[in-house]
Amino acid sequence: MESWKTKITKVEPNHLVTKGYRQEDLIGNIPFSHVVYLLLRDELPSKEHGEMMDAILTACVDHGITPPTAMASRVVASGGVPLPTAVAAGVLSIGDAHGGAIEKGAKFLQDGVLKAKKEGKAIEQIAETLVKESREKKKRILGFGHRVHTSDPRTKRLFLLAEELKITGSHIKLSKAIEKELEKQTGRKLPVNVDGAIAAISSDMGFDYRLGKAFFLIGRVAGLTAHVYEEQTEFKPMRKMFTADVEYDGPSEKDLP
Amino acid sequence: MESWKTKITKVEPNHLVTKGYRQEDLIGNIPFSHVVYLLLRDELPSKEHGEMMDAILTACVDHGITPPTAMASRVVASGGVPLPTAVAAGVLSIGDAHGGAIEKGAKFLQDGVLKAKKEGKAIEQIAETLVKESREKKKRILGFGHRVHTSDPRTKRLFLLAEELKITGSHIKLSKAIEKELEKQTGRKLPVNVDGAIAAISSDMGFDYRLGKAFFLIGRVAGLTAHVYEEQTEFKPMRKMFTADVEYDGPSEKDLP
Amino acid sequence: MESWKTKITKVEPNHLVTKGYRQEDLIGNIPFSHVVYLLLRDELPSKEHGEMMDAILTACVDHGITPPTAMASRVVASGGVPLPTAVAAGVLSIGDAHGGAIEKGAKFLQDGVLKAKKEGKAIEQIAETLVKESREKKKRILGFGHRVHTSDPRTKRLFLLAEELKITGSHIKLSKAIEKELEKQTGRKLPVNVDGAIAAISSDMGFDYRLGKAFFLIGRVAGLTAHVYEEQTEFKPMRKMFTADVEYDGPSEKDLP
Amino acid sequence: MESWKTKITKVEPNHLVTKGYRQEDLIGNIPFSHVVYLLLRDELPSKEHGEMMDAILTACVDHGITPPTAMASRVVASGGVPLPTAVAAGVLSIGDAHGGAIEKGAKFLQDGVLKAKKEGKAIEQIAETLVKESREKKKRILGFGHRVHTSDPRTKRLFLLAEELKITGSHIKLSKAIEKELEKQTGRKLPVNVDGAIAAISSDMGFDYRLGKAFFLIGRVAGLTAHVYEEQTEFKPMRKMFTADVEYDGPSEKDLP
């Protein structure tokens, strides 16, 4: 077995160094959200990147009881298990269809921007091509449209902040160009949703798309903890939470052969 | 089924209100760590409570690869699963023996302070009694001593901050009195550890002890995400991570009956 | 670090010995359910114990979509995650309130039988005392009553089998005596439920009560796998699964301070 | 919300029907492993398929403490959590690199057999082409070779049983042909491993490759339960389990900017 290398934390008696900084220096001096950035990037953020990171985490905290994250955590809490077990269950539901648009959306935008550079094309041209291609392949571009919101308050706020903090670059530009193209080519409004906004902004901040689900996860864990705590302190275990019309359409009842 | 009441988030089209505040107002205006406080407490923190909360989360981010949290996350990541699945595995290990000292320690301190008030006794007297009782029952008081650190840099920093922010109250006082009594009655130094410090400080901030594991969990998730990302990007799946001397001492090999 | 002892499996190149038996001997010669017994007990079951174990596992496989296990697995599957991640989410919900009656019920029965022996009393007398005590303390005896079934078909079948296989002993006797006492003292029928039946039978088979949740878990995983597979192959990700009337009763909407 | 259709279990008061059969009929009459088959296939297995299914589950129960499944479960158990939480952690590690060879291997074999039929070629020809292609693309064919065993006793036993039970068909044939081709083209022996054997056999039994991880999961849960129980009853929480040489190679220690 080779020795194991890690860039995260050096652990020695009475001495903890995380990504180069002593933990006693970080604690109370560097905002937690900036420490999150440090952990994912190897360096402390600039003032602007730090503020953006903080905003992104807050934008992910909660969306009520309807998403799989909150539902899974509350259902599992209802079985009478410890708080971390129930929070973890919600985290498990973060997948390609829930939060996954950040990861896949960021990959799509990053590939698009690379393509523009390589082919020497304007972002608007690339947007036109990408939307056309996706329509031909009947493949949705992730990060556009939302099942509840037509104008998501989180998206608007995040994009405004990105502008104020001068983070806006090619990825946000491409994201907005795709939004326009989608309306032009389909006649339907499919505005950038919160996942899409984070995909675009984090790409302009230089983040690896493979961290797409990480922002959502770290922010959402705060909301899930609140859900589990509420479930454990305000409700009885095994309460009836949801209603569903269920129809059994399996093999019809019969005797054993 | 009765209707389901929640104090966390009101979800309406284009409108998200969390604990009374519109999400677009929170994003970028209120630090993420203060939003965490809001989610767990129903109100925004004072400046001092907000700073303390932030420091507590940072104090929990990471302790290298040795604790069950990081080990579980990295082992599971090594199976070739998505990032959230591996992070969740680490969260699952937060239990009575790992992070649990915050919850149980806070309960112990909160009971102790109540007892002092009820019996009209000084904190020091109560500390003496509690240590005596625990020694008679041969039951460890949780939150004292650490397997690596004799003077944990995180603990010192957190207590200093609590003083600066004038958060210090009866629970921190009791915690320090117990530390002294432990040395007096046992002759051994068993300093307050980081769990014990958070137990004491969060109690002085008025937190429910049942949230003890929540602080640790929310902070640690940041570190776990970094571990999983490192594992997924720097190492091969199924690599040999650890060595252990294993001896099979089960029933000896035999034929089927 | 001391060497690590395990009684489960000896692993050598081309040679796997589990609880004393070569895996190639177990495979296809000993029924899987008997191998489960071997893993939990250190010896192969008698014919009777093996059949009973098999029946217990089958009795736990599924109860439709309503219990937390199935709901959690399907909700998590809906996020677009791999099959094992979604199955695990269901397993997480097995807790003190869901499946926990097997563990706690078995402990209660095992303590009751010990008490009867120690005090030289008849099982019926002990049942009377235990029910009286639980009513005085207003503490439910676990394993009696069900939210759907008044006469659970699984319970009846399991008890019948236990009789046929001559497994019936003091614990089943005590369980039935408690059922009678509950009706006598409360006037209400609270029949032994499936958890209670497994608690009684596994106790008569000599199982540690700490394995109570294990039977349920191992059986239920089969059903959860079917649920996740059905969700992944028959439904769209993020579909609306459940309806709930949700009322926000948190702090009222306001501006930031 | 449309009504929810399920083919798994009809739940009515005192009446539970799973895939067409009353649960009281299944319990104690149909072996548990055959009920697993029923849950995944919609019909009871033939005698031969039932025996094969049982053998497959047993072949997956345990491989000591080295694989991520057992390590994750034991590490998490060590945090002081309930048994199901720790078992679930092990299940989470079943991924593309651990158990995933069954799913991907089955897909590969099923595609190969289809290709042979379509192109009217012999299995041996197809094997030659597939191995050649995989070498050109430098992509491993999954299900061949093992990090511990050169002649896995489980594989041999499973293939022998498949022959005895007359389950052997094109997929097993292709699997063995690939094994031969691999040796011919690479000069190295890369025998079918246990994942590869299950991939081939389950394909010849007509199983959907998307259930590949399911067999492994359902069998392995039995072993994981034994591991967690052993950890909880024989060892102290938070014990030092593993050794690893860790080297911090992150940013070097420095003061805050």
Side-chain angles (χ1 to χ4, degrees), chain A residues 4 22 245 247 253 255, chain D residues 4 20 22 245 247 253 255:
Chain A
W4 179 342
R22 289 175 286 278
D245 257 3
E247 190 191 317
E253 194 172 338
D255 294 331
Chain D
W4 180 342
R22 289 173 289 276
D245 257 1
E247 188 192 317
E253 194 173 338
D255 294 331

Side-chain angles (χ1 to χ4, degrees), chain A residues 3-7 15 17 19-22 25 85 245-256, chain D residues 3-7 10 15 19-22 25 85 245-249 251-256:
Chain A
S3 105
W4 179 342
K5 290 179 180 170
T6 177
K7 290 180 169 55
H15 193 215
V17 176
K19 297 274 182 181
Y21 297 104
R22 289 175 286 278
D25 289 352
T85 297
D245 257 3
V246 182
E247 190 191 317
Y248 172 78
D249 68 341
S252 55
E253 194 172 338
K254 60 195 159 212
D255 294 331
L256 288 181
Chain D
S3 107
W4 180 342
K5 290 179 180 169
T6 178
K7 290 183 168 52
K10 180 165 72 174
H15 192 216
K19 297 275 183 182
Y21 297 104
R22 289 173 289 276
D25 290 351
T85 296
D245 257 1
V246 182
E247 188 192 317
Y248 172 77
D249 67 342
S252 55
E253 194 173 338
K254 60 195 159 211
D255 294 331
L256 287 181

Side-chain angles (χ1 to χ4, degrees), chain B residues 1 3-10 15 17-22 25-26 29-30 42 44 82 85 92 243-257, chain C residues 1 3-10 15 17-22 25-26 29-30 42 44 82 85 92 243-257:
Chain B
M1 195 183 60
S3 108
W4 179 343
K5 289 179 181 169
T6 179
K7 289 182 171 51
I8 304 173
T9 299
K10 181 165 71 174
H15 193 214
V17 177
T18 291
K19 297 276 183 179
Y21 298 103
R22 287 174 289 277
D25 290 352
L26 295 172
N29 288 316
I30 304 296
D42 287 11
L44 283 169
T85 296
L92 292 180
T243 309
D245 256 3
V246 182
E247 189 191 316
Y248 173 78
D249 68 340
S252 55
E253 194 173 337
K254 60 196 159 212
D255 293 331
L256 288 182
Chain C
M1 194 182 62
S3 104
W4 180 342
K5 291 178 179 171
T6 177
K7 291 183 169 54
I8 304 174
T9 299
K10 180 164 70 173
H15 193 215
V17 176
T18 292
K19 298 273 184 183
Y21 297 104
R22 289 174 287 277
D25 289 352
L26 294 172
N29 287 318
I30 303 296
D42 288 9
L44 283 169
T85 297
L92 292 179
T243 309
D245 257 1
V246 182
E247 189 189 319
Y248 173 78
D249 69 340
S252 54
E253 192 172 338
K254 63 197 157 210
D255 294 330
L256 289 182

Side-chain angles (χ1 to χ4, degrees), chain D residues 121-134:
Chain D
K121 286 193 185 146
I123 291 294
E124 289 75 13
Q125 277 178 289
I126 286 293
E128 197 190 328
T129 314
L130 292 174
V131 172
K132 202 172 286 174
E133 279 176 13
S134 86

Side-chain angles (χ1 to χ4, degrees), chain C residues 2-56:
Chain C
E2 345 145 45
S3 104
W4 180 342
K5 291 178 179 171
T6 177
K7 291 183 169 54
I8 304 174
T9 299
K10 180 164 70 173
V11 178
E12 292 169 350
N14 307 328
H15 193 215
L16 294 164
V17 176
T18 292
K19 298 273 184 183
Y21 297 104
R22 289 174 287 277
Q23 287 201 2
E24 67 264 39
D25 289 352
L26 294 172
I27 298 169
N29 287 318
I30 303 296
F32 174 65
S33 54
H34 297 213
V35 175
V36 170
Y37 184 102
L38 172 69
L39 280 162
L40 303 180
R41 286 296 283 275
D42 288 9
E43 53 178 17
L44 283 169
S46 65
K47 192 179 162 301
E48 291 76 19
H49 274 205
E51 284 186 31
M52 197 69 235
M53 184 72 196
D54 193 284
I56 287 174

Side-chain angles (χ1 to χ4, degrees), chain C:
Chain C
M1 194 182 62
E2 345 145 45
S3 104
W4 180 342
K5 291 178 179 171
T6 177
K7 291 183 169 54
I8 304 174
T9 299
K10 180 164 70 173
V11 178
E12 292 169 350
N14 307 328
H15 193 215
L16 294 164
V17 176
T18 292
K19 298 273 184 183
Y21 297 104
R22 289 174 287 277
Q23 287 201 2
E24 67 264 39
D25 289 352
L26 294 172
I27 298 169
N29 287 318
I30 303 296
F32 174 65
S33 54
H34 297 213
V35 175
V36 170
Y37 184 102
L38 172 69
L39 280 162
L40 303 180
R41 286 296 283 275
D42 288 9
E43 53 178 17
L44 283 169
S46 65
K47 192 179 162 301
E48 291 76 19
H49 274 205
E51 284 186 31
M52 197 69 235
M53 184 72 196
D54 193 284
I56 287 174
L57 294 180
T58 298
C60 294
V61 287
D62 195 45
H63 196 271
I65 65 150
T66 48
T69 28
M71 277 180 62
S73 277
R74 295 199 75 135
V75 164
V76 168
S78 176
V81 303
L83 182 139
T85 297
V87 171
V91 171
L92 292 179
S93 76
I94 300 177
D96 284 350
H98 184 34
I102 306 180
E103 183 175 332
K104 296 201 166 163
K107 173 91 171 76
F108 188 83
L109 294 173
Q110 290 174 20
D111 287 348
V113 166
L114 274 179
K115 190 179 158 80
K117 273 186 197 150
K118 220 167 149 191
E119 303 181 1
K121 285 192 185 149
I123 290 293
E124 289 75 13
Q125 277 178 290
I126 286 292
E128 196 189 330
T129 314
L130 291 175
V131 172
K132 204 173 282 173
E133 279 176 14
S134 86
R135 297 195 68 210
E136 282 164 11
K137 295 186 203 158
K138 298 197 173 177
K139 235 184 123 177
R140 253 184 87 197
I141 300 181
L142 292 172
F144 297 84
H146 193 280
R147 55 181 188 169
V148 178
H149 310 294
T150 52
S151 169
D152 193 318
R154 298 168 295 180
T155 311
K156 285 201 293 193
R157 177 71 183 129
L158 287 174
F159 275 146
L160 200 70
L161 256 174
E163 231 169 276
E164 282 174 26
L165 297 166
K166 305 209 190 313
I167 282 166
T168 313
S170 314
H171 300 94
I172 295 179
K173 207 172 159 190
L174 177 56
S175 170
K176 293 188 171 174
I178 290 172
E179 183 182 279
K180 257 187 214 153
E181 271 302 321
L182 279 170
E183 191 175 352
K184 204 160 130 191
Q185 293 188 31
T186 69
R188 288 197 314 147
K189 273 187 199 271
L190 274 170
V192 187
N193 58 33
V194 67
D195 287 354
I198 297 173
I201 296 167
S202 66
S203 295
D204 273 341
M205 289 167 82
F207 274 104
D208 187 343
Y209 70 88
R210 289 172 295 184
L211 282 169
K213 286 176 190 135
F215 312 120
F216 178 52
L217 190 165
I218 297 171
R220 183 56 55 99
V221 155
L224 293 177
T225 302
H227 277 288
V228 172
Y229 181 64
E230 188 176 76
E231 186 67 34
Q232 292 182 326
T233 53
E234 305 273 328
F235 296 93
K236 284 199 186 149
M238 293 291 285
R239 72 180 171 111
K240 192 161 177 3
M241 290 181 162
F242 302 108
T243 309
D245 257 1
V246 182
E247 189 189 319
Y248 173 78
D249 69 340
S252 54
E253 192 172 338
K254 63 197 157 210
D255 294 330
L256 289 182

